[in-house]
Every structure is written in C-alpha cells, then in structure tokens.
Amino acid sequence: MEKNDFLIPLNGLASGKTVYRWTSGKKFFDEFENQDILDADLRIEVEVEKSGSQIDVDCHIAGRLTVTCDRCLGDLMIPLDSVERLRVKFGDANGGEESFDEDGRETVLLSVGDTELDMKQVIYDYACLSIPLHKVHADGECDPEVTAHLGTREDVPGEFVGEENPFAALKDMLKS
C-alpha cells in the first residue's frame, strides 16, 4: 500500500459527492498483524458527501476473506458485502470519539486540526466484524479425512455415549 491509500482529504473537499475506490488484500490485514485472515480480495468504494460543515461517508466493502474453518481447519472463503454509514464531525482537541446519530450513522468526532480521514481502521474493523463467530464449511464441504476423526452429528456435546456420565455424582451433591 502506498502512504496515501485509504486517506480522504478533508481540507479543500468540495461540496457535493466525491467517490474514492480502493482494493485491499492480505497485505492490508498483515499490517494490522491479523493472523486469522489467511487471504483477502476486497473492493472498497467510499462516497463522501459534504454539506456545509457536515461530512457523510458511505463505505461499501465487497469481496471475500479466507479464514480457517473451525471444524476441519481447512481454508474457508467468506463472501463479504457490507455498507457502513459514518458522519464526520469536528470537536475538541481530543478527537477520535464515536457515537451514533438518530439516523443510524456512526458519528466520528475529529479534532478541528485534522486534515485527513484515515479509513484504514474503519475498513479493517468492519471487514473483521463481518466474519461469523462460528466459521465452518457448509455441510459436506469439510475435509473428509479430518471429519472422519470427529464425532458424528448425533454426538451431542455434554452427552456421554457408551459410558456413564462422570458428572452424575455432582448432580446428587446439589440435592443434599
């Protein structure tokens, strides 16, 4: 990535809409030291609308992320199509504070002296938030060599098949 990637200049931004387009891959996530994302191919389109002192940012992130499947440990491709809406406001020297407006836009408060809006962290955060908590292939798509060593789908966690429940004695202790 070049030094100016993912930066939106705020000084001199013309009124009306301006569109920025970027791409990102694995190197982008490596810069954040993210080891969970094995590969990435993202297209980012950011539409910035300036109206007076208010700046609205609509960020569309589309593409795919490759992560490790929680079940078979194979590569799992996750499609990504996310639209995030931000509102940039200028405030005290602390800056960086966030809240939500009544219209559902996340409000980012920047210090008055800020001249650029760096979208790297925003893009990274929303891409990572789009990854499901339970990352598994669809039924039948996991590596059969690995799944052969896993229990069957009928094996329910917490139930003991073929042996007595070793925690049954604890249950009786609670009754006394």
Side-chain angles (χ1 to χ4, degrees), residues 102-160:
E102 58 279 350
D103 65 353
R105 285 187 181 274
E106 181 177 353
T107 301
V108 179
L109 182 62
L110 299 178
S111 63
V112 176
D114 286 343
T115 60
E116 297 176 322
L117 175 62
D118 189 347
M119 293 294 292
K120 285 181 200 166
Q121 187 69 51
V122 172
I123 293 165
Y124 173 79
D125 289 346
Y126 285 118
C128 289
L129 286 171
S130 70
I131 299 171
L133 291 176
H134 190 59
K135 307 172 299 277
V136 294
H137 289 102
D139 285 340
E141 292 183 15
C142 279
D143 182 349
E145 288 184 34
V146 175
T147 56
H149 297 287
L150 300 175
T152 64
R153 291 191 59 78
E154 291 79 38
D155 292 343
V156 178
E159 292 192 16
F160 298 88

Side-chain angles (χ1 to χ4, degrees), residues 59-126:
C59 181
H60 181 217
I61 306 169
R64 63 164 182 80
L65 297 173
T66 304
V67 296
T68 303
C69 174
D70 292 337
R71 184 182 301 139
C72 72
L73 303 179
D75 289 355
L76 172 65
M77 197 249 346
I78 298 173
L80 174 64
D81 192 5
S82 175
V83 176
E84 305 305 329
R85 301 173 57 203
L86 308 171
R87 176 159 293 139
V88 178
K89 291 185 180 179
F90 295 93
D92 63 8
N94 294 333
E97 296 178 23
E98 299 177 358
S99 64
F100 289 90
D101 278 356
E102 58 279 350
D103 65 353
R105 285 187 181 274
E106 181 177 353
T107 301
V108 179
L109 182 62
L110 299 178
S111 63
V112 176
D114 286 343
T115 60
E116 297 176 322
L117 175 62
D118 189 347
M119 293 294 292
K120 285 181 200 166
Q121 187 69 51
V122 172
I123 293 165
Y124 173 79
D125 289 346
Y126 285 118

Side-chain angles (χ1 to χ4, degrees), residues 21-93:
R21 290 183 180 89
W22 302 295
T23 59
S24 71
K26 171 129 175 71
K27 184 177 177 182
F28 175 81
F29 292 94
D30 287 345
E31 289 181 6
F32 286 93
E33 298 180 6
N34 185 316
Q35 298 174 355
D36 294 331
I37 297 178
L38 306 174
D39 196 11
D41 180 20
L42 299 179
R43 295 168 308 287
I44 300 105
E45 181 174 293
V46 176
E47 182 178 278
V48 181
E49 184 173 6
K50 182 177 181 184
S51 176
S53 63
Q54 180 173 299
I55 301 173
D56 288 338
V57 179
D58 293 336
C59 181
H60 181 217
I61 306 169
R64 63 164 182 80
L65 297 173
T66 304
V67 296
T68 303
C69 174
D70 292 337
R71 184 182 301 139
C72 72
L73 303 179
D75 289 355
L76 172 65
M77 197 249 346
I78 298 173
L80 174 64
D81 192 5
S82 175
V83 176
E84 305 305 329
R85 301 173 57 203
L86 308 171
R87 176 159 293 139
V88 178
K89 291 185 180 179
F90 295 93
D92 63 8

